[in-house]
Amino acid sequence: EDQVTQSPEALRLQEGESSSLNCSYTVSGLRGLFWYRQDPGKGPEFLFTLYSAGEEKEKERLKATLTKKESFLHITAPKPEDSATYLCAVGPPYSGAGSYQLTFGKGTKLSVIP
Amino acid sequence: ETGVTQTPRHLVMGMTNKKSLKCEQHLGHNAMYWYKQSAKKPLELMFVYSLEERVENNSVPSRFSPECPNSSHLFLHLHTLQPEDSALYLCASSQEDPDTQYFGPGTRLTVL
């Protein structure tokens, strides 16, 4: 059974204070690792997909990296509008119906204080 | 309307009621999903429809009944729910490739 663990559960940062969120995973096979952002009262919003170890993706102040055991979401000089819950998920290799089954972590709630 | 919409946004129902959640996607996608999000738990996939056929059903109790009449609409019919079914129910859609899913805002369900 695939497992995803995100840490920390919650993180408070001062505006401009860079940090990283961790997503560690145990899978029998990996098609991709996905990061989503979820604001209160809203559905998750897709951020990145990473497919292979060593891959990196960037979007504004966010950079996601992937190793064979974990992924990091680095936040550089965060702003209050970056406050949200960040979700990580893994997807199995393509195999018909099972391909749709993403396994999510519980998320990291990030608060950026002005 | 753009993206994925869900109605109602909030729903309170008794254990003996029957209600339905509605989802509509305006993205031209052909796969649609129902997820359950409970406090302190990971997002759980309930059902998947691809090209209007159900392709995934994760051992969800029969008191939840999905319906996908076309590629743009998805319903979740609810009957004789339990208080532990109280949660945020999220709808999502994607192209046939499930790697990029677009979520709706969710329906906050409370079962009394």
Side-chain angles (χ1 to χ4, degrees), chain A residues 1-4 25-34 49-51 89-104, chain B residues 33 35 45 48 56 58 97-99 101:
Chain A
E1 184 179 326
D2 293 352
Q3 290 190 340
V4 176
Y25 60 90
T26 305
V27 296
S28 54
L30 182 71
R31 173 178 86 245
L33 185 139
F34 312 94
T49 305
L50 301 166
Y51 290 107
V90 295
Y94 286 111
S95 60
S99 304
Y100 295 94
Q101 181 69 55
L102 299 187
T103 300
F104 281 83
Chain B
Y33 311 73
Y35 285 89
L45 180 65
V48 181
E56 191 80 42
N58 283 355
D97 175 355
D99 282 2
Q101 296 183 23

Side-chain angles (χ1 to χ4, degrees), chain B residues 17-67:
Chain B
N17 291 158
K18 289 184 180 181
K19 296 286 185 183
S20 295
L21 310 185
K22 178 183 175 183
C23 174
E24 184 173 0
Q25 61 96 359
H26 309 268
L27 299 169
H29 291 161
N30 50 28
M32 297 188 76
Y33 311 73
W34 279 117
Y35 285 89
K36 176 181 179 182
Q37 190 172 39
S38 304
K40 305 296 184 184
K41 286 188 175 182
L43 209 57
E44 301 171 60
L45 180 65
M46 300 175 72
F47 301 103
V48 181
Y49 279 82
S50 176
L51 298 173
E52 300 153 41
E53 288 191 18
R54 189 190 304 181
V55 296
E56 191 80 42
N57 175 359
N58 283 355
S59 303
V60 178
S62 60
R63 56 186 183 269
F64 295 92
S65 174
E67 179 189 1

